[in-house]
Amino acid sequence: LADALDLVIAAIKAGAGVLEAFESATRESRPPIRQHLERLTGQIRLGDEPRAVFHDFATRVPVETVRLFALALSVHWEVGGNLVPTLSTIARTIRDRVETGRRVGTQSAQARLSLIGVLVITYGLGVVLWQADPARMDEFVGTTVGGVLIALAMLLQLVGIGWMVRLSRIRY
């Protein structure tokens, strides 16, 4: 969408009308945005109410930046004014959100790898201790306190894994 908006901005600056600029951007865009822009421009050309077309577009593509784009176009269509600064801001916002998403993905990947490392070290240490002194470990696991502590540690690890998965799916 950000690339298509850049094309629209360039066409408007070159003197094209808004609809002609969108048609030009549609021809140059790649799927999947191309199909959505073709439908949007086609519906407006056929005489559908632009606000309804933009609302339909935002409904079909349930992404926050698309809703922002559709709202800005709806307002522009009703009120008028200079659309270029608004579209420039939306394109910059889209690019910023993509970059933020990549950073969040990188950070959450680091956290997941740390979690896996801690789990591997914990169970690896348990195996090493068991092999070093099997009698003592059998005695520990055989007691009620030992069994409860091991079960509690595993339960806390499951809670930690669930918490980590939830934290790694951050909406920005």
Side-chain angles (χ1 to χ4, degrees):
L1 182 59
D3 293 336
L5 289 179
D6 288 341
L7 294 170
V8 169
I9 291 166
I12 290 173
K13 283 182 178 179
V18 175
L19 192 55
E20 290 79 19
F22 274 103
E23 288 175 343
S24 173
T26 300
R27 285 190 299 272
E28 300 298 323
S29 296
R30 294 174 292 166
I33 194 66
R34 182 179 201 158
Q35 291 85 0
H36 295 294
L37 290 177
E38 284 174 348
R39 185 171 175 180
L40 184 129
T41 55
Q43 286 178 320
I44 291 174
R45 281 270 185 222
L46 289 174
D48 289 351
E49 173 66 31
R51 283 183 23 198
V53 172
F54 299 136
H55 178 73
D56 180 52
F57 178 62
T59 304
R60 279 185 285 121
V61 185
V63 178
E64 289 179 34
T65 51
V66 171
R67 283 189 295 213
L68 175 64
F69 168 70
L71 180 64
L73 283 178
S74 294
V75 168
H76 172 71
W77 218 274
E78 292 293 320
V79 177
N82 192 358
L83 186 60
V84 171
T86 304
L87 293 181
S88 296
T89 303
I90 293 171
R92 189 172 43 253
T93 301
I94 291 170
R95 286 191 176 91
D96 289 345
R97 289 176 63 83
V98 168
E99 183 173 338
T100 302
R102 287 180 181 153
R103 286 184 182 181
V104 167
T106 301
Q107 294 295 324
S108 65
Q110 290 174 351
R112 284 191 302 269
L113 287 176
S114 296
L115 176 71
I116 291 169
V118 167
L119 289 175
V120 166
I121 288 171
T122 302
Y123 288 107
L125 187 60
V127 168
V128 167
L129 287 174
W130 199 295
Q131 288 180 350
D133 194 359
R136 182 176 284 171
M137 288 301 288
D138 285 337
E139 185 179 326
F140 175 70
V141 171
T143 64
T144 306
V145 173
V148 167
L149 288 176
I150 290 174
L152 182 63
M154 292 177 135
L155 177 68
L156 288 174
Q157 285 177 345
L158 284 175
V159 168
I161 290 169
W163 189 10
M164 205 60 169
V165 167
R166 183 172 169 92
L167 286 176
S168 67
R169 292 187 183 151
I170 297 173
R171 285 184 48 114
Y172 52 94

